[in-house]
Amino acid sequence: MPTLSQLMVPLPVKSGLDDLNVGAELTGKLDKEEVVKWLAKFYQRREIKAAATENGIDNYIYHQTYLSFRKFCLEIDKLPVDLHVTFSDIIAGACHLDSLLPYFIRHAKQVFPHLECLDDLKKISDLRLPANWYPEARALTRKIIFHSGPTNSGKTFHALERFFSSKSGVYCGPLKLLASEVYYKSNQRGVPCDLVTGEERNFASVNKTPSSHVSCTVEMVSVNTPYEVAVIDEIQMLKDPSRGWAWTRALLGVVAEEVHVCGEAAAIDVVKEIIMSASEEVELRRYKRLTELIVEDSSLGTLEKIRPGDCLVCFNKQDIFWSTRQIEAMGIECAVIYGSLPPGTKLAQAKKFNDPDHPCKVLVATDAIGMGLNLNIGRVIFNSLIKPTVNEKGEKEMDTITTSQALQIAGRAGRYGTQFSTGYVTTMKNEDLPTLKRLLSQHPEPITQVGLHPTAEQIELYAYHLPHANLSNLIDIFVNLSTVDDSLYFICNIDDFKFLADMIQHVPLPLRARYVFCCAPINRKIPFVCSMFLKFARQYSRNEVLSFDWLGRQIGLPFACPNTLLDLVHLESVFDVLDLYLWLSYRFQDLFPDASLVRDMQKELDCLIQAGVAQLTRLLINSETKVSSGTSQAVEAEENRPVLFAKKNPFSHDRNAIASGDPLSSRGRIADRLLSEGLLTPKMLEELKKEWQFQKDSEKKSFEASNGVVDKTNLVKHSRNDTLNTRRLNRKRRT
C-alpha cells in the first residue's frame, strides 16, 4: 500500500490578488537566476531537511514542496512582501539562507493541507474502540445469548421462538430470502412484522404504520430503535472480508434487552472478546445436529447413479449447465439454483424440488444453497472441492473449500422433519473423497478478527479537513491513517466502494449522495449493470427524475422469454439493474419515484427467468444453433457508440458477424463467445454438437421418409468442420 504522503495530491498555490508589487517597490526586482541558485542550495542543506522532518515533512513531501515552491517563486511576479524582502536580503548577503525555512514550511502546508490537521485526521480514524460508537446500546445492560451449533441443529429455531414471543423484536439475516421467510412466518403466527431490506420496506398493517417486530437484512438494522429482543443470524459472517462490518455493527450497536446470536462455534471466542469490550457477558447455548450425517465410502463416479433427493453442488456456472444437460439427457428433471438468479426464481426452483408430487427430484446448485433456502435434500454430492476465491489483494484464486464451507453445504443433507431422516454426502470424483472426509472431520478454525468499515460521518469529517480530495482518495487516506486493534478487528475490503467512487468521480454530486451511491450493492463484474449505475448517477446529478418510462427505454422493454443462454444471462443482469433502482429509490425517493411500478416489472421479469431456467437444456442447444430472441436489446443502442466498459461487455455483440457466421470476426459465433467467456467448456460444446446432430439427423430421416429430400450430410459435416476451425482460430487468438 502506498504511504500516506504518496496518497496526498499536491495542490497548486496562487499568489494574492494585490495589484501592487510592494516587495519590488521596497527592494527592487528579483534576479530569477539568483533565486534558482539560492533555492537549490537551500534544498540541499541537511539542517533544512532535519527541520522539515521535525514538522512532519518526509522525503516525498519535501521534494514535492520544493518543486512547487520553486515554481511559485519563479512564475509569480508579485511574491508576498515578506518573502520578496527575504530573497532580496539573501541575494545581497544581508541574511542567512535558512531564513527561507518558515516560508517553505508555510508553503508545504498550503500544498499538503493534511500537515495542518494530521492529528485531527488520526483521531477521526481511530477505530480501536468501536463499542463506544453506540452510546444508546451502551446505556443498556444487554443480555447476550449465543446459540451455537451446526446446520440442522435448531439453533435459529429456538432464537426465533423468543423473537415471536417478545413484545418487540428485530431479526437480522444475511440474505433477503431469510429476512422474507421470517417476515412471512411471523405474520402467519399472528405477530405483526415489517420487512426491511436495502430495496424496500413492507408494512404488516394496511395503514402502513410501523410494527413492533421487524425482519431485515443485517445492513439495514437500526442502532437507534429500542427492542426487547434482537436475533442476529449467521454470526460467523463477522469474518467476511466485504460484509463483516455489518455483523460487527449489529452485535455492538443493536439496542435490545436480549440479543440472540446464532452461528458456528468458531465465532464463540471472538464474540466473547467483542462483548467484553462493551462490558457485557455472553450466555452460551450449544446444540447438536438433529439428524445423522454420513459420509459415504465411495464417490458417485458417474451421473447415472443420481437418485431422487440428490443435490449436485458445483462451484461455477459451466459445471451447473453441463451437469444439468447430462442429467436431463437421461430423462431426469432437474431444479437449478445459482447465486445470480433472482430470489423468486430460487424459491420457485426450491419449491419444485421440495414438492413430493412434482417429478423433479434432483437439484443442481452452487454453494448458494448453504444458507437462505429450506431444501429437502437426502444426499449432497460435491462435483468438485475447488472453488474460486478472492484473496486479501482482491485477486481471484482457485483453492480448496474451507472446513466451514464444507460443513455448511454438506449439512444441508438430511433436513429435520423431512422424509430424509439421515443425510448422506459424497463426491463425484474418487480422488476428492479423502479430502472431503478430512474437512468434515475437522472443526472450523476459530475466528480471530472481525470487520469494520468507515462510516459516512467519518468520511464527511475527512472531507471537511481535505476539501480538495476525491472520495476514493479520502477512503485510501482513512485506511492508511486508521488505528485498529489488529488482534480483534480488520478494515473490510473497500475495492468495490473505490471502484464505484472512481467510476462516478467526474459526476458532480454532493459528498453524502456520492457516498450513498458508492455503497450500492452491485456486481462490478457485469458491464451492463455498471453502465446503468453510471447513467443513474448522471441523471441524479442533473436533478432529473428517473421515471419508469425512462428506465424502460434504457433496459429495452418489453422483455421476451429467453431463447439462448446469453438471453438468460442478460435478463439476470437486467434484474440486478432493477434491484439497483429500488435500492436507490429507498434512499432518494424524490428522483426515483416509480418503485412500485419497477417491482411489478421485476415480478414479470422473474417469471421470464423462471421460464428460462426451466428450459435450460433448450437454451444451451439454441445457443449452439444461433437462435436468439433479441432480449439483449438494452445494449444494442450502446453498440454504435463508444461507452464506458463497452469493450468488456459480454452481452453486446455484432449481429452481422453472428448472422454471417464469420469465424474471424472479433465477436463471432455465440458458441465461441460462450467458450471465451467461460460459460461453456469444450467438452460441453462437443456434447451439445452430438445432441444437435442427432436431432438434425432424426428430423432429416423423418422428413425424407415422407417427402424424399436430397441428402445433406456433407453440408452438416462441413458446418462442423467450420466450427472446429473457428475454435482453433479463437484459441490461437486468445493465446
Side-chain angles (χ1 to χ4, degrees), residues 138 141-146 251 254 256-261 271 275 280-284:
R138 299 293 76 78
T141 304
R142 303 186 305 171
K143 181 180 180 181
I144 314 296
I145 302 168
F146 195 124
L251 180 61
V254 67
E257 298 171 20
E258 288 182 26
V259 181
H260 295 255
V261 295
V271 167
I275 293 303
E280 295 171 336
E281 295 182 354
V282 177
E283 176 186 330
L284 184 59

Side-chain angles (χ1 to χ4, degrees), residues 237-248:
M237 293 286 287
L238 283 161
K239 67 178 180 181
D240 188 88
S242 299
R243 298 178 64 202
W245 62 270
W247 276 263
T248 306

Side-chain angles (χ1 to χ4, degrees), residues 22-53:
V22 179
E25 291 183 4
L26 292 175
T27 61
K29 192 174 181 179
L30 293 175
D31 185 343
K32 297 296 184 180
E33 292 184 2
E34 287 292 319
V35 171
V36 171
K37 182 180 73 174
W38 285 104
L39 280 175
K41 291 181 179 179
F42 174 83
Y43 175 72
Q44 294 170 0
R45 283 181 57 78
R46 293 182 179 178
E47 294 83 359
I48 298 298
K49 291 182 179 179
T53 302

Side-chain angles (χ1 to χ4, degrees), residues 214-230:
V214 174
S215 179
C216 64
T217 47
V218 66
E219 286 88 352
M220 298 301 295
V221 62
S222 169
V223 292
N224 305 113
T225 307
Y227 299 100
E228 181 185 355
V229 171

